[in-house]
C-alpha cells in the first residue's frame, strides 16, 4: 500500500485552532512570529502568534481624532417612577406646609389682605415703610383696601366728603360749558376770597363747577380743623386774622393744607387718612363740649365703645344738624360734628345725602343751558348758587 502521509497530532491541533487576525488600529507587533515548518506534503501549519500590543497616542500615525464620550443616562419614564415622584412631591409639600411663616408676606393672600383691612389708615403708612415688598403689596391693592376700609369704618363720612373731579378728566364740551357759565370767575382770586383758612381751588387742577368747589373747600376744612385740635383741647386761643389782612404764616399754613388735599386727590390712602383725621376731630370736639357744663346744645350720643371702635357708626343716629359751616376759625370752638352734604328726614327717620353724581348732573345742566341759549347772546354769568339748590349741598 502506498504510504499515506501522516500528520502529527500537534499539526492537526494547530490546524483546528487558527488564531484570528489582529486588525486593531494603531497597534504595533513586537517580536518575530513563530511559524511552524512545512511538512513533506506541502501542508502549512500555523502556530499561535505571540505579540505584544502597544496603544499609541491619540494622534497616531493614521491621524485619527480622539474619541469623545457622548453617552448619556437613559431617563427613566414609567408609571412606577411617576407614582414614586408624585408621592415624593406630596411629602415635600406637606413638609413645607408645616414650616411656620417667617413674615407677613409668607401668609396666604386672603389672610394677609384681611389683616391689612383691619389696620387703621394711619398705620398703613407705617407698614409702607417696613420693607419694599410690603409697600408694593399695599400700593398694588390700594383701591381694594381703601374700598373695604371705607365701607367698614367711614361709610357716612365718605358720603359727606367726596373727592372733586380732576380737570384733566373733563372732556372738551364740559370745559366749554364751564367757561361760558362762569366767565372770568375762573380766576382763583375770585373763588373764595373771604375764606382765610382755605386756599382757593386751582381751575387747572380740579373742576370748577359749584359741586367740585364745595368738595375742595370741605376737604381743606378737614385738614385745618384737625390742625387746631391741640389748641382747642388745651384751651389755647387760635390766632385771629384781622379783617383785610393775610399774614405770611397763614399763607404758608393754608398752602400746606392744600398740598395734603392734592395728595388725597391722587391717592386713596391719603383720602382715607383725611377721613380718619376728621373722625378724630369730631370725637374730640364732642368730648370737649360734653365736658363743658355751660354748653347745653344737643349733640350726638357717643359712648366710649363708639370711640374705641374707630368707626362713624354713631353718626348715623339721629342728632343735631351738621350743616354748621365754619366761615372762619373763630367758629371752631363750638363746631362739633361737621358733616355737610346731608340732611335728616324725620318722616323716614334717616339721613339723606347729596347724590354721588351731583357733578355730572350739574355739567348736564350747564350743557343744556348752553345749547338752549341763543348764539348771539353774551357769555352767561349764571351765579353758582342758582345751579345747585342750597338744600342739596348743606
Amino acid at each position: 500500500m502506498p504510504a499515506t502521509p501522516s500528520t502529527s497530532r500537534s499539526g492537526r491541533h494547530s490546524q483546528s485552532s487558527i488564531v484570528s487576525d489582529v486588525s486593531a488600529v494603531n497597534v504595533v507587533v513586537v517580536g518575530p512570529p513563530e511559524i511552524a515548518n512545512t511538512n513533506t506534503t506541502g501542508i502549512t501549519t500555523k502556530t499561535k502568534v505571540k505579540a505584544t500590543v502597544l496603544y499609541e497616542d491619540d494622534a497616531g500615525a493614521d491621524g485619527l481624532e480622539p474619541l469623545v464620550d457622548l453617552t448619556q443616562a437613559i431617563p427613566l419614564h414609567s408609571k412606577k417612577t411617576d407614582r414614586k415622584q408624585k408621592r415624593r412631591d406630596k411629602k415635600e409639600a406637606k413638609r413645607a406646609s408645616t414650616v411656620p411663616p417667617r413674615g407677613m408676606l409668607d401668609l396666604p393672600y386672603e389672610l394677609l389682605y384681611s389683616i391689612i383691612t383691619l389696620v387703621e389708615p394711619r398705620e398703613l403708612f407705617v407698614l409702607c415703610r417696613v420693607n419694599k415688598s410690603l409697600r408694593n403689596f399695599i400700593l398694588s391693592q390700594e383701591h381694594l383696601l381703601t374700598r373695604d376700609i371705607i365701607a367698614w369704618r367711614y361709610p357716612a363720612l365718605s358720603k359727606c366728603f367726596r373727592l372733586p373731579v380732576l380737570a384733566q378728566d373733563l372732556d372738551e364740551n364740559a370745559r366749554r360749558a364751564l367757561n361760558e357759565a362762569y366767565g372770568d370767575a375762573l380766576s382763583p382770586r375770585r373763588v373764595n376770597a373771604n375764606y382765610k383758612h382755605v386756599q382757593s381751588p386751582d381751575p387747572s387742577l380740579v373742576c370748577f363747577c359749584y359741586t367740585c368747589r364745595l368738595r375742595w373747600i370741605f376737604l381743606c376744612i378737614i385738614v385745618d380743623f384737625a390742625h387746631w385740635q391741640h389748641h382747642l383741647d388745651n384751651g389755647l386761643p387760635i390766632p385771629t386774622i384781622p379783617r383785610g389782612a393775610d399774614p405770611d404764616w397763614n399763607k404758608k399754613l393754608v398752602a400746606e393744607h392744600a398740598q395734603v388735599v392734592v395728595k388725597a386727590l391722587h391717592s386713596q390712602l391719603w383720602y382715607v387718612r383725611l377721613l380718619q383725621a376728621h373722625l378724630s376731630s369730631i370725637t374730640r370736639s364732642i368730648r370737649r363740649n360734653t365736658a363743658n357744663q355751660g354748653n347745653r346744645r344737643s349733640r350726638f350720643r357717643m359712648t366710649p365703645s363708639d370711640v374705641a371702635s374707630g368707626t362713624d357708626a354713631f353718626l348715623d343716629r339721629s342728632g343735631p344738624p351738621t350743616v354748621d359751616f365754619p366761615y372762619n376759625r373763630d367758629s371752631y370752638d363750638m363746631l362739633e360734628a361737621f358733616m355737610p352734604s346731608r340732611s335728616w328726614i324725620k318722616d323716614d327717620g334717616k339721613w339723606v345725602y347729596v347724590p354721588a353724581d351731583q357733578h355730572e348732573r350739574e355739567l348736564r345742566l350747564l350743557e343744556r343751558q348752553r345749547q338752549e341759549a341763543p348764539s348771539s347772546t353774551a357769555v352767561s354769568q349764571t351765579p353758582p348758587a342758582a345751579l345747585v339748590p342750597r338744600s342739596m349741598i348743606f
Side-chain angles (χ1 to χ4, degrees):
M1 294 179 63
T4 304
S6 61
T7 304
S8 63
R9 180 176 300 178
S10 60
R12 291 194 302 269
H13 180 74
S14 62
Q15 289 181 1
S16 60
S17 58
I18 301 175
V19 180
S20 60
D21 297 338
V22 179
S23 59
V25 182
N26 297 332
V27 297
V28 178
V29 179
V30 180
E34 296 179 0
I35 303 175
N37 296 327
T38 307
N39 56 9
T40 58
T41 59
I43 301 176
T44 304
T45 60
K46 297 181 180 180
T47 61
K48 182 184 296 185
V49 178
K50 296 181 180 180
T52 303
V53 181
L54 298 179
Y55 291 90
E56 296 182 350
D57 296 337
D58 293 337
D62 298 338
L64 299 178
E65 296 180 356
L67 296 177
V68 179
D69 188 8
L70 300 178
T71 59
Q72 297 179 357
I74 300 176
L76 299 179
H77 179 73
S78 63
K79 294 182 178 180
K80 184 177 181 179
T81 56
D82 292 343
R83 289 194 297 269
K84 289 183 178 179
Q85 184 64 29
K86 289 180 180 179
R87 287 194 295 267
R88 190 179 301 110
D89 296 341
K90 187 176 180 180
K91 289 180 180 179
E92 292 179 356
K94 184 178 180 179
R95 189 182 302 109
S97 63
T98 57
V99 177
R102 295 173 295 178
M104 290 185 61
L105 295 178
D106 296 335
L107 297 174
Y109 171 80
E110 294 79 5
L111 183 58
L112 178 60
Y113 181 86
S114 301
I115 292 175
I116 295 180
T117 53
L118 300 177
V119 175
E120 293 184 353
R122 177 177 54 238
E123 298 174 350
L124 287 178
F125 290 89
V126 179
L127 290 178
C128 289
R129 300 186 183 97
V130 173
N131 53 49
K132 186 176 180 180
S133 301
L134 189 57
R135 174 185 175 85
N136 293 337
F137 176 81
I138 294 176
L139 295 181
S140 62
Q141 305 294 327
E142 178 181 2
H143 179 70
L144 298 177
L145 288 172
T146 53
R147 182 197 62 183
D148 294 343
I149 291 175
I150 290 175
W152 172 46
R153 290 183 179 271
Y154 317 111
L157 288 173
S158 61
K159 297 176 184 178
C160 296
F161 299 94
R162 302 184 187 274
L163 293 174
V165 179
L166 297 177
Q168 62 184 8
D169 297 336
L170 299 176
D171 55 6
E172 190 61 29
N173 294 331
R175 297 175 186 272
R176 190 179 298 108
L178 288 173
N179 290 330
E180 294 185 3
Y182 299 110
D184 61 347
L186 292 176
S187 176
R189 61 183 179 83
R190 298 190 57 185
V191 178
N192 51 341
N194 294 328
Y195 300 150
K196 300 300 181 181
H197 60 309
V198 176
Q199 190 179 66
S200 303
D202 187 1
S204 62
L205 178 63
V206 297
C207 175
F208 204 73
C209 68
Y210 191 49
T211 302
C212 292
R213 276 185 286 172
L214 287 176
R215 292 177 179 178
W216 169 272
I217 294 173
F218 296 157
L219 293 176
C220 290
I221 291 177
I222 287 180
V223 185
D224 193 74
F225 187 42
H227 175 78
W228 299 105
Q229 286 299 313
H230 177 73
H231 287 69
L232 296 173
D233 289 341
N234 295 276
L236 301 176
I238 299 177
T240 58
I241 301 176
R243 187 178 183 88
D246 193 5
D248 294 337
W249 68 266
N250 184 65
K251 292 181 181 179
K252 182 179 179 181
L253 181 62
V254 169
E256 292 176 356
H257 294 171
Q259 289 299 321
V260 176
V261 177
V262 172
K263 292 179 181 179
L265 298 181
H266 297 88
S267 174
Q268 288 290 324
L269 291 177
W270 278 95
Y271 173 63
V272 178
R273 181 67 182 91
L274 288 184
L275 298 181
Q276 181 192 11
H278 191 57
L279 180 61
S280 176
S281 300
I282 291 176
T283 55
R284 294 169 69 176
S285 299
I286 294 177
R287 187 187 299 112
R288 182 173 58 249
N289 286 276
T290 303
N292 186 4
Q293 300 296 332
N295 189 352
R296 300 296 183 180
R297 298 173 56 186
S298 60
R299 57 184 54 89
F300 286 92
R301 182 174 58 87
M302 185 182 67
T303 61
S305 60
D306 295 332
V307 180
S309 65
T311 64
D312 61 358
F314 70 96
L315 294 174
D316 281 337
R317 305 167 185 162
S318 61
T322 59
V323 297
D324 296 336
F325 184 80
Y327 292 95
N328 49 54
R329 296 192 180 105
D330 296 338
S331 55
Y332 283 171
D333 190 17
M334 301 299 295
L335 185 64
E336 292 186 10
F338 174 60
M339 298 183 65
S341 304
R342 75 172 187 173
S343 178
W344 176 261
I345 304 301
K346 186 176 180 180
D347 296 339
D348 298 336
K350 63 179 182 180
W351 295 96
V352 177
Y353 298 86
V354 173
D357 60 343
Q358 184 63 33
H359 164 77
E360 289 76 10
R361 294 184 182 184
E362 183 175 348
L363 288 184
R364 287 196 297 266
L365 177 61
L366 292 176
E367 292 178 0
R368 185 165 60 250
Q369 290 180 354
R370 174 175 168 271
Q371 294 176 359
E372 295 176 355
S375 58
S376 59
T377 58
V379 177
S380 175
Q381 297 292 340
T382 306
L387 296 177
V388 183
R390 181 181 178 86
S391 60
M392 291 298 296
I393 297 177
F394 296 105

